[in-house]
Amino acid sequence: MADQQCSSRERCTQRWTEEQHVDVYTAEVIDDHNREVEKVAAAVRSFYDRGEKFRIYHGSTNSTRKSATGRDPRKVVDTSRLNRVLLVNTDAEQPYALVQPNVPMDRLIEETLKHGLIPPVVMEFPGITAGGGYAGTSGESSSFRHGFFDRTLEHVEMVLANGEVLVCSETEHPDLFHGAAGAVGTLGVTTLVKLRLRKAKKFVETTYHPISNGMPEVMAKLQELATPSNDLDYLDGIMYSKTHGAIITGRLTDDPTPGTPIQRFSDASDPWFYLHVQSRISNSTGPTTDAIPLPDYLFRYDRGGFWVGAASFKYFPGMPFNAFTRWWLDDFLHTRMLYKALHASGQSERMIVQDVALPYATASEFVDYTDSRLGIYPLWLCPLKQSPLPTMHPHLDEYEADGATLKPLLNIGLWGLGPTTREGFLKANRDIEKKLQELGGMKWLYAQTYYSEKEFWAGFDTAWYDELREKYHATSLPTVYDKVKGDHERDAAEWSVTQAFWDTWPISGLWGLVKAIESGDYLRARSASWKTWVPRT
């Protein structure tokens, strides 16, 4: 089409139906989609005309920042109805799916598995959405090969801040296509993504490589394994202490090596993944292997939220942390429920939940620092293929010997209980930020930041970002810093007013539990059809 920019629902309908050669049913679905997009565009346009900023309500969150819920509803654009997989095309040379932004990973996987397909990068938490994966930073155990989630997208449909609707890609508005990735919705509102798919297989043959000599051994092992010539599909790691941990590799297969045990992680009676890995490496001096059904592998960290769910047992003293209590309380220990409880209870203001990206050369020093400063374990390790610069993703402006290939990053997941006082909590977070800047690292933006504005923008190409905001009429939207900064004066006031209430045990924990139950999210985990991809025997 000569005019790629869509200023009306009719143009967008023509664009998708012509390009995708859809059938009548799908054309009707896309018509419904475009009617919903026009509502979003009209709401956005009205804010633009009034010169007012707004927040987006998605219907869910996997951020530890304060969400739009509870804010002035007159300043929120509701996109929560954009929550469907419109099409899975298996006939194209490159299979793909058309996915609305609020489709969570578990619903997406259930649709693509019907066709024997999966996305190349799947966020480990079932509730993370396709739109969140694009607007945020989503690097998973396949990202050492495929890069961040947005690198697996072909097109993105977006409502600009002035209400215009356009489609961007590598060839159409490529500056916006790349710039909006990781920019947390500050360049427009994502309304549809075209996502590449790859062939699914029944199992991930998963091998646990014990680590006993700390981060130097980890870094050597990762660099050995994360090479283009290696046939691995997945690669990550867990450190249980400063010296001991595991590097975890995975290969897709329909036929596991004979004698390999099948291990699942989706049922209440199954182990939590990180505890299972710890058990496997403690009973072996060398690598050991399981065959994990593919969806169980993809969502292996859901139960327990990696290991953050274990903190809830510490909140209720006397509650043992064992296989029976994890089975008994399983409904409350999936990530959707944990996020609801975390926000409602106010405990997100006491938990350090930060992902950081560092150069391989300084990752060991950062672990030494967190070991002495905070003592938080386990730590998650995930090697990452960088996105092209400039970008709003965590990045490192360093290249391999060829002068063209960006060096990989190591993501470290630092998740655990922080200091109990407000002053101690703020200082711990500020100290982490200072150490990252010293070591050439960056934080991910799903959590609140405590940088000054000058410190924050020192890590990004502000001229490039500001130019994008001007070009695509986004100056009326909050900036990235506006969205991720902690409002410390307000937060301190809220903390002082509510501290006595929340510190009265067990009020905050019980309130969080009540709100999580009210959400009904535990029903989604119970009814997930992906659990039957490989039937239990």
Side-chain angles (χ1 to χ4, degrees), residues 38 43 62 92 120 141 185 205 271 294 306 309 358 373 376 404 497 531:
E38 184 55 39
N62 283 275
S141 61
E205 192 162 280
L294 173 58
F306 281 87
L358 289 136
R373 175 69 172 83
I376 290 175
V497 169
K531 297 180 183 180

Side-chain angles (χ1 to χ4, degrees), residues 35-295:
R35 280 189 286 270
E36 198 63 39
V37 170
E38 184 55 39
K39 294 177 185 177
V40 173
V44 170
R45 194 177 304 116
S46 68
F47 282 102
Y48 183 82
D49 291 342
R50 297 195 302 270
E52 296 180 0
K53 295 184 178 182
F54 62 88
R55 295 266 175 168
I56 303 168
Y57 174 65
H58 305 282
S60 65
T61 181
N62 283 275
S63 168
T64 56
R65 301 191 309 270
K66 288 180 171 63
S67 67
T69 55
R71 298 180 185 270
D72 187 344
R74 294 169 299 178
K75 296 185 178 181
V76 173
V77 172
D78 187 349
T79 66
S80 59
R81 288 174 57 86
L82 295 171
N83 57 10
R84 301 170 66 185
V85 178
L86 304 186
L87 172 70
V88 176
N89 190 324
T90 61
D91 297 329
E93 182 178 349
Q94 168 63 64
Y96 64 84
L98 294 180
V99 185
Q100 291 180 322
N102 295 312
V103 173
M105 287 298 103
D106 50 359
R107 300 291 87 88
L108 174 60
I109 290 302
E110 287 170 349
E111 287 300 315
T112 63
L113 284 179
K114 293 175 183 177
H115 305 274
L117 299 167
I118 55 166
V121 176
V122 177
M123 285 73 92
E124 271 101 352
F125 291 174
I128 298 178
T129 62
Y134 173 68
T137 294
S138 296
E140 315 303 335
S141 61
S142 61
S143 292
F144 79 100
R145 188 170 302 285
H146 300 287
F148 294 114
F149 175 76
D150 63 274
R151 301 298 293 164
T152 69
L153 303 183
E154 296 282 354
H155 293 94
V156 173
E157 179 187 76
M158 190 178 301
V159 177
L160 301 184
N162 65 354
E164 290 182 273
V165 184
L166 60 77
V167 175
C168 54
S169 68
E170 292 282 1
T171 56
E172 307 159 30
H173 312 292
D175 53 351
L176 181 62
F177 183 58
H178 292 296
V184 294
T186 61
L187 294 173
V189 181
T190 303
T191 52
L192 192 70
V193 301
K194 180 183 177 184
L195 171 64
R196 291 195 299 274
L197 301 174
R198 64 178 301 195
K199 185 178 180 182
K201 296 190 177 180
K202 291 181 180 179
F203 297 95
V204 177
E205 192 162 280
T206 307
T207 301
Y208 318 112
H209 305 264
I211 296 295
S212 57
N213 294 308
M215 288 299 291
E217 183 183 1
V218 167
M219 303 315 297
K221 192 71 176 176
L222 288 177
Q223 291 179 78
E224 171 195 335
L225 293 169
T227 59
S229 60
N230 206 311
D231 65 349
L232 294 175
D233 295 296
Y234 303 102
L235 175 63
D236 68 339
I238 303 171
M239 290 300 290
Y240 296 95
S241 70
K242 186 176 178 179
T243 55
H244 286 76
I247 298 299
I248 306 162
T249 60
R251 291 182 176 86
L252 287 162
T253 182
D254 285 323
D255 302 299
T257 303
T260 303
I262 295 176
Q263 179 63 56
R264 295 174 180 269
F265 300 101
S266 55
D267 191 76
S269 60
D270 294 331
W272 286 8
F273 181 73
Y274 87 97
L275 294 173
H276 175 75
V277 175
Q278 188 174 31
S279 174
R280 292 285 265 155
I281 62 172
S282 65
N283 296 324
S284 176
T285 57
T288 58
T289 302
D290 290 325
I292 304 175
L294 173 58

